[in-house]
Amino acid sequence: MKWGAPVGALVATFIALVGDAPAAVPREVLALYDSTVEPEVTASLLRSRVELPLNHLGLIVRYHDIRQGLPAMSALDGVRGVVSWFHGSATDAPREYLDWCQRVIDSGRRFVVFADLGVLPGEGISIDDINAFWRRLGLSTDDNWVRMTYDLEILHRDPDMIGFERDLGGILPGYPVMRLLDGATRSFLTVGRPGAPESESVLVATGPGGGFVAPGYAVYAPDDETKQWFVNPFELLRHAFDTDDLPKPDTTTLSGRRIFYSHIDGDGWRNVSLIPSYAKTRTLSAEVVLEEILKPFASLPVSVAPVVGDLDLDWHGTPETLRIARQILALSHVEAGSHTYSHPL
């Protein structure tokens, strides 16, 4: 097919104005894990704690077992950056790993380190070798670990970053000494001895090369049940992977718009609350939910599904459980549901 002169001129003008087609925005994050420590990736720290914030920011997570070798740089097309969460040494080839990490950053990708880098000094690896990586994040370490923190204080904390689900208080966890090297890297948490600059250490930071969270300062997890973020993972990863201008599609809806889902099952409706201020008056858990969640957050729609047997006076219902149910279901932002008649009896 031949273009007519007017059409051909129009197409040529359009191509000249538009130029080459824009490149795809890199949206993948390569998540490195150690299968000798976390055999199941579904139970890994990155999967359970980091993937959700990354997805919220419009990023896709691709997992890679560091014990299976390192991906070639040519295999990182579409990768925006790398994230790791190691404790201690995580590789039998530390030199190769350090070189690879540096090439990742030098290629324009970002690198976020939770806890340890995965490489320790020794066996041919010096602190200078390790600092060659940290310098790319605007940081430097001298391989000192501060164990006694009773006389140290938080010198700087960013309230938007620190204290997300749990505030730092009491005696601080031990930490590695880490210092800022350039003004482009920002500290969100700095600890040390007042009036002694040499004692200062950066524990949470982001910069053009990525980000860092010191061991013990990301999540409070004293047992298998309790997991609370010290750090705001949404803010940290937003800064570290520079996602403000990134499209954030939601493929769960037809139009790509985000939807907020919230639902409360009725298990424990008639239990006496264990929260100290309520336990003294033997307040039912359902009333605590009413007073602490449903009334204060009236702008958030939610469905509430009691176990019907907890309301039926012929089963386990009482005038008190019925009264609370009527108050909850009368709220304009609450939709009634049912958690069956007998569950979990």
Side-chain angles (χ1 to χ4, degrees):
M1 175 180 178
K2 294 183 179 180
W3 295 101
V7 177
L10 181 62
V11 171
T13 301
F14 177 78
I15 292 174
L17 290 173
V18 175
D20 295 333
V25 176
R27 293 180 51 230
E28 284 193 344
V29 171
L30 188 69
L32 302 179
Y33 72 100
D34 180 358
S35 61
T36 64
V37 177
E38 298 174 313
E40 299 295 332
V41 69
T42 54
S44 68
L45 291 168
L46 293 174
R47 178 64 180 272
S48 62
R49 301 177 190 177
V50 177
E51 181 168 356
L52 185 151
L54 286 173
N55 291 161
H56 179 80
L57 294 168
L59 297 169
I60 302 165
V61 181
R62 186 209 307 176
Y63 290 91
H64 181 84
D65 179 8
I66 194 174
R67 298 291 178 173
Q68 300 301 315
L70 295 166
M73 296 301 295
S74 60
L76 298 185
D77 289 346
V79 170
R80 192 178 194 84
V82 176
V83 62
S84 66
W85 196 327
F86 297 132
H87 294 291
S89 178
T91 174
D92 297 323
R95 173 75 60 185
E96 178 186 352
Y97 180 62
L98 280 176
D99 291 345
W100 182 85
C101 293
Q102 292 167 54
R103 282 187 284 126
V104 166
I105 300 175
D106 291 344
S107 70
R109 298 173 174 89
R110 296 181 174 226
F111 209 115
V112 177
V113 177
F114 286 91
D116 295 323
L117 176 57
V119 174
L120 303 176
E123 298 183 359
I125 300 296
S126 69
I127 192 63
D128 290 338
D129 295 325
I130 291 174
N131 271 327
F133 168 81
W134 287 122
R135 278 197 301 272
R136 287 165 166 81
L137 268 62
L139 299 168
S140 175
T141 183
D142 55 14
D143 195 36
N144 283 329
W145 183 275
V146 177
R147 300 184 183 278
M148 306 297 289
T149 64
Y150 66 91
D151 61 341
L152 301 178
E153 298 179 11
I154 294 175
L155 303 177
H156 166 70
R157 79 168 85 196
D158 187 303
D160 293 330
M161 183 71 76
I162 307 301
F164 181 60
E165 292 179 322
R166 186 181 183 90
D167 200 10
L168 281 168
I171 302 298
L172 296 171
Y175 57 84
V177 174
M178 191 74 72
R179 296 187 172 88
L180 289 180
L181 285 183
D182 64 65
T185 298
R186 175 182 174 187
S187 173
F188 294 91
L189 179 65
T190 305
V191 303
R193 196 172 294 106
E198 72 281 358
S199 71
E200 294 183 9
S201 186
V202 173
L203 302 184
V204 179
T206 65
F212 164 71
V213 181
Y217 285 84
V219 173
Y220 174 75
D223 51 54
D224 291 338
E225 298 298 324
T226 306
K227 296 178 179 66
Q228 296 173 311
W229 281 97
F230 290 125
V231 170
N232 183 334
F234 300 93
E235 280 295 290
L236 178 87
L237 297 168
R238 178 177 75 85
H239 285 283
F241 286 116
D242 190 26
T243 64
D244 283 356
D245 296 330
L246 188 68
K248 299 171 177 61
D250 186 341
T251 57
T252 63
T253 63
L254 183 63
S255 62
R257 294 179 178 177
R258 295 192 168 208
I259 293 180
F260 173 81
Y261 292 95
S262 58
H263 170 77
I264 301 174
D265 276 346
D267 304 77
W269 188 283
R270 54 192 175 87
N271 291 357
V272 174
S273 174
L274 297 179
I275 298 174
S277 58
Y278 288 101
K280 292 185 293 187
T281 56
R282 297 191 61 76
T283 302
L284 298 187
S285 296
E287 187 150 16
V288 176
V289 170
L290 171 64
E291 297 298 331
E292 298 290 338
I293 298 174
L294 298 175
K295 285 184 177 180
F297 300 99
S299 62
L300 295 178
V302 58
S303 63
V304 179
V307 176
V308 182
D310 283 341
L311 309 182
D312 189 334
L313 297 178
D314 291 331
W315 279 51
H316 296 278
T318 67
E320 183 74 354
T321 62
L322 273 174
R323 177 189 65 79
I324 299 168
R326 290 192 177 103
Q327 286 186 268
I328 288 176
L329 299 180
L331 296 173
S332 61
H333 63 293
V334 172
E335 180 78 12
S338 169
H339 196 38
T340 77
Y341 212 96
S342 59
H343 181 80
L345 303 175

